[in-house]
């Protein structure tokens, strides 16, 4: 950022102000510490008070500069701007040197990571549920939403649930997976992929990511299946995650699972709308799960679904999702079950949201393409790869920052961007690095070199919502480029 000193003349300072986007000129002393700031208003008042264009700014009357340490959250910054009636503040490092100037307009227009994107039809379905008094959990919207889910997933049966986590739990339950059984699961994922294994007292085995697509490594999977087959301890299921909307290498993974007779549960929570070899994400495993959480590509505010071609399994899950009532006129129950069903009102939101799915996928992919263009000339920024045969949704665009070429850590980017009103998030922390998973078996991609820790430590998820405007995305690109350039 451009700074001036006490010896700078008003004329030069006006030129700096003219070039500055924030309309704040920052003066520092010889040690680099901020000594004052100057706005157009300060210049005007100084000239009216008798100063000339050749006066030094150090001689002008001024107040203590308002500065904030790096990492200060947005709210205190906005509060200070409102209470002092100013439009920009200076961010300083530990030594008091300026690292950034943040404008009020920037903070007031917050850019979120992946906010819900509603259309107009959603409230029509909610209103209909109210009008017809289908406010009780069950109702006609549920059946219609499930029809829609069958169509987008290419499966014959669908069950709408209260969350994706519930879907994964039911998938394990209907496969009869219980205490002491082993379940392989992708290591680089959100914790929800693994928790249901623990609910059942089963044992997770964490399979590393592969370096290009960041999904479950078929190399690690194949090696582990071979060893476990010899030792007579094959897993009861493999939970394969399609990370950030990009499909895992299902050709290789399905071939391996088939060879050893192990069922696949697809955790397609992040990949609804993606395809692999022209088949929908979620159409490759025995059972597949979607999430409609608020940050997903379509949302019912909270919700999920289980889909499969096996009607018997989905019907079993349906029963378990409604407290597992036996076939009897009275309330009779013979097994542990849950209250996991989606409500009719939320299913109404889902029907409308499903109608937008192709548009939302196209928009997220366009966001990704724009980031690619925006960072093309920066050596050291890499993206999650696109698998041959895969057409991902780019639910989130994630950048991988090469530490040999980019001096700042992703968390430094995250804090700086937050101060600009831009929400970013770290990549998922691998399961084998979670305190909850201490002592669990982890199978690296390469026996001597794991992939997922590096991706976690180097990566940052960028705002990727389908409602992100081009103007706001340019703000993100510009802010990232600026941080990269500050070596
Ligand atoms: C990979 C993955 N699996 C499972 C889930 C769980 O979905 P839900 O939040 O609907 O329970 C999520 C998202 O939240 C997810 O990202």
């Amino acid at each position: 950022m451009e700074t001036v000193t006490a010896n700078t003349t008003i004329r030069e300072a006006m030129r700096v102000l003219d070039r500055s986007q924030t309309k704040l000129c920052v003066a520092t002393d010889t040690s680099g510490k901020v000594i004052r700031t100057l706005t157009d208003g300060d210049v005007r008042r100084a000239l009216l008070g008798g100063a000339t264009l050749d006066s030094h700014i150090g001689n002008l009357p001024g107040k203590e500069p308002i500065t904030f340490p790096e990492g200060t959250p947005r709210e205190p910054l906005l509060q200070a701007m409102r209470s002092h009636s100013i439009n920009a503040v200076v961010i300083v490092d530990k030594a008091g040197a300026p690292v950034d100037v943040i404008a009020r307009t920037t903070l007031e227009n917050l850019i979120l990571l992946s906010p819900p994107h509603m259309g107009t039809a959603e409230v029509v379905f909610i209103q209909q549920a109210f009008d017809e008094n289908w406010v009780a959990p069950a109702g006609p919207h549920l059946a219609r939403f499930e029809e829609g889910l069958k169509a987008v997933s290419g499966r014959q049966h669908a069950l709408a649930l209260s969350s994706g986590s519930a879907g994964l739990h039911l998938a394990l339950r209907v496969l009869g997976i219980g205490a002491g059984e082993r379940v392989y699961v992708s290591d680089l994922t959100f914790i929800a992929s693994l928790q249901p294994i623990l609910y059942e007292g089963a044992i997770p085995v964490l399979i590393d990511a592969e370096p290009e697509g960041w999904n479950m490594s078929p190399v690690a999977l194949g090696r582990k299946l071979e060893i476990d087959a010899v030792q007579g301890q094959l897993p009861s299921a493999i939970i394969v995650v399609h990370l950030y909307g990009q499909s895992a290498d299902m050709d290789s993974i399905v071939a391996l699972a088939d060879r050893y007779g192990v069922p696949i549960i697809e955790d397609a929570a992040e990949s609804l709308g993606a395809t692999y070899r022209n088949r929908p994400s979620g159409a490759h495993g025995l059972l597949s799960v979607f999430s409609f959480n608020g940050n997903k590509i379509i949302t019912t505010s909270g919700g999920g679904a289980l889909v499969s071609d096996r009607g018997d399994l989905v019907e079993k899950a349906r029963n378990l999702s409604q407290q597992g009532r036996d076939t009897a006129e009275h309330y009779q129950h013979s097994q542990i079950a849950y209250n996991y069903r989606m409500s009719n009102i939320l299913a109404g939101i889902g029907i409308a949201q499903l109608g937008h799915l192709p548009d939302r996928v196209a928009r997220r992919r366009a966001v990704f393409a724009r980031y690619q263009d925006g960072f093309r000339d920066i050596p050291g920024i890499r993206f999650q790869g696109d698998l041959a045969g895969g057409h991902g949704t780019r639910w989130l665009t994630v950048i991988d920052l090469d530490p040999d070429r980019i001096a700042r850590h992703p968390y430094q980017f995250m804090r700086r961007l937050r101060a600009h009103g831009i929400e970013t998030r770290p990549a998922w922390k691998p399961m084998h690095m979670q305190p909850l998973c201490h002592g669990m078996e982890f199978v690296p991609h390469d026996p001597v070199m794991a992939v997922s820790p590096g991706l976690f430590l180097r990566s940052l998820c960028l705002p990727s919502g389908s409602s992100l405007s081009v103007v706001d995305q340019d703000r993100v690109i510009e802010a990232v480029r600026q941080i990269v350039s500050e070596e």
Side-chain angles (χ1 to χ4, degrees):
M1 61 176 282
E2 194 171 13
T3 55
V4 297
T5 67
N7 282 335
T8 303
T9 61
I10 289 190
R11 179 181 285 105
E12 288 165 59
M14 284 170 76
R15 289 202 181 104
V16 173
L17 275 172
D18 210 36
R19 288 194 288 271
S20 146
Q21 278 184 346
T22 54
K23 299 297 161 218
L24 192 77
C25 174
V26 182
T28 56
D29 62 16
T30 47
S31 69
K33 273 173 88 165
V34 179
I35 47 169
R36 70 161 299 152
T37 55
L38 200 74
T39 62
D40 283 336
D42 294 330
V43 169
R44 193 172 54 247
R45 280 184 289 278
L47 294 176
L48 288 172
T52 70
L53 288 179
D54 294 317
S55 303
H56 291 158
I57 63 170
N59 297 332
L60 305 181
K63 297 181 244 73
E64 267 294 291
I66 298 170
T67 62
F68 284 87
E70 264 187 293
T72 306
R74 168 180 171 267
E75 261 318 307
L77 295 179
L78 267 176
Q79 241 167 28
M81 292 191 202
R82 287 187 194 120
S83 63
H84 291 92
S85 299
I86 53 175
N87 289 324
V89 288
V90 186
I91 305 295
V92 293
D93 64 14
K94 286 197 183 86
V99 290
D100 209 352
V101 174
I102 298 183
R104 187 162 161 175
T105 46
T106 303
L107 289 188
E108 279 169 347
N109 177 12
L110 201 64
I111 302 178
L112 298 172
L113 185 82
S114 180
H117 186 177
M118 291 291 127
T120 49
E122 285 77 352
V123 282
V124 176
F125 285 103
I126 296 174
Q127 188 61 50
Q128 189 187 350
F130 272 71
D131 291 346
E132 295 169 3
N133 207 23
W134 280 113
V135 178
H141 284 346
L142 263 176
R144 184 163 162 195
F145 184 41
E146 286 172 352
E147 285 305 312
L149 287 171
K150 287 190 221 168
V152 293
S153 66
R155 306 313 292 253
Q156 288 172 32
H157 304 274
L159 173 66
L161 296 164
S162 55
S163 69
S165 306
L168 287 167
H169 188 196
L170 291 176
L172 296 173
R173 275 295 309 270
V174 298
L175 293 178
I177 294 171
E181 291 184 51
R182 294 152 64 80
V183 177
Y184 291 3
V185 58
S186 302
D187 181 59
L188 188 59
T189 184
F190 179 50
I191 194 74
S193 307
L194 174 137
Q195 295 275 25
I197 305 173
L198 303 181
Y199 301 165
E200 291 306 313
I203 302 167
V205 177
L206 314 170
I207 310 291
D208 198 7
E210 43 86 13
E212 292 309 315
W214 308 359
N215 276 300
M216 181 181 279
S217 157
V219 176
L221 177 68
R223 191 172 354 103
K224 187 65 185 150
L225 283 169
E226 198 179 328
I227 294 167
D228 280 353
V230 172
Q231 295 186 346
Q233 53 168 19
L234 280 171
S236 303
I238 304 171
I239 299 181
V240 183
V241 177
H242 303 301
L243 195 72
Y244 301 127
Q246 302 302 107
S247 181
D249 179 355
M250 294 310 280
D251 270 1
S252 310
I253 291 171
V254 170
L256 282 166
D258 285 351
R259 188 183 314 156
Y260 292 95
V262 183
I264 289 179
I265 300 170
E266 280 183 271
D267 180 347
E270 300 173 0
S271 63
L272 181 72
T275 58
Y276 178 73
R277 304 253 180 250
N278 293 322
R279 282 174 67 206
S281 189
H284 303 264
L286 176 62
L287 292 149
S288 303
V289 170
F290 301 114
S291 166
F292 311 116
N293 190 14
N295 62 4
K296 294 297 184 293
I297 195 150
I298 62 164
T299 181
T300 56
S301 80
L306 180 71
V307 297
S308 176
D309 288 332
R310 283 275 301 272
D312 57 329
L313 295 180
V314 173
E315 285 323 300
K316 204 166 157 187
R318 192 181 302 277
N319 177 259
L320 287 173
S321 74
Q322 299 172 131
Q323 304 291 11
R325 189 170 168 181
D326 294 341
T327 320
E329 269 189 273
H330 51 278
Y331 288 96
Q332 178 171 300
H333 304 268
S334 311
Q335 56 184 334
I336 295 175
Y338 320 93
N339 182 5
Y340 276 170
R341 197 78 164 109
M342 178 178 276
S343 85
N344 189 58
I345 293 181
L346 297 191
I349 303 176
I351 296 168
Q353 285 273 289
L354 268 185
H356 305 309
L357 185 61
D359 169 71
R360 302 305 191 248
V361 172
R363 284 171 184 258
R364 293 214 186 221
R365 287 178 60 88
V367 165
F368 170 77
R370 202 173 171 80
Y371 279 130
Q372 261 190 326
D373 271 357
F375 302 140
R376 199 174 293 285
D377 58 330
I378 303 180
I381 292 191
R382 196 173 73 104
F383 296 90
Q384 184 182 10
D386 225 346
L387 193 72
H391 188 268
T393 61
R394 296 289 176 185
W395 169 58
L396 291 184
T397 294
V398 186
I399 48 174
D400 176 11
L401 304 162
D402 179 350
D404 289 333
R405 292 176 148 167
I406 293 174
R408 287 176 183 258
H409 185 270
Y411 286 14
Q412 288 174 295
F413 278 81
M414 187 165 68
R415 291 182 197 129
R416 285 284 299 285
L417 292 167
R418 189 188 301 144
H420 279 265
I422 297 169
E423 183 188 27
T424 59
R425 293 278 172 93
W428 297 132
K429 182 174 181 177
M431 295 300 102
H432 80 277
M433 296 169 82
Q434 300 286 352
L436 176 68
C437 303
H438 180 72
M440 287 179 191
E441 194 175 356
F442 167 61
V443 187
H445 171 72
D446 181 307
V448 293
M449 182 73 182
V451 169
S452 63
L455 291 172
F456 162 57
L457 293 169
R458 292 191 311 259
S459 301
L460 188 70
C461 304
L462 297 179
S464 307
S466 47
S467 54
L468 182 67
S469 70
V470 166
V471 173
D472 279 350
Q473 192 177 357
D474 285 347
R475 242 176 80 192
V476 181
I477 292 171
E478 201 37 57
V480 170
R481 293 185 65 92
Q482 194 196 321
I483 301 168
V484 169
S485 69
E486 296 164 2
E487 290 299 311

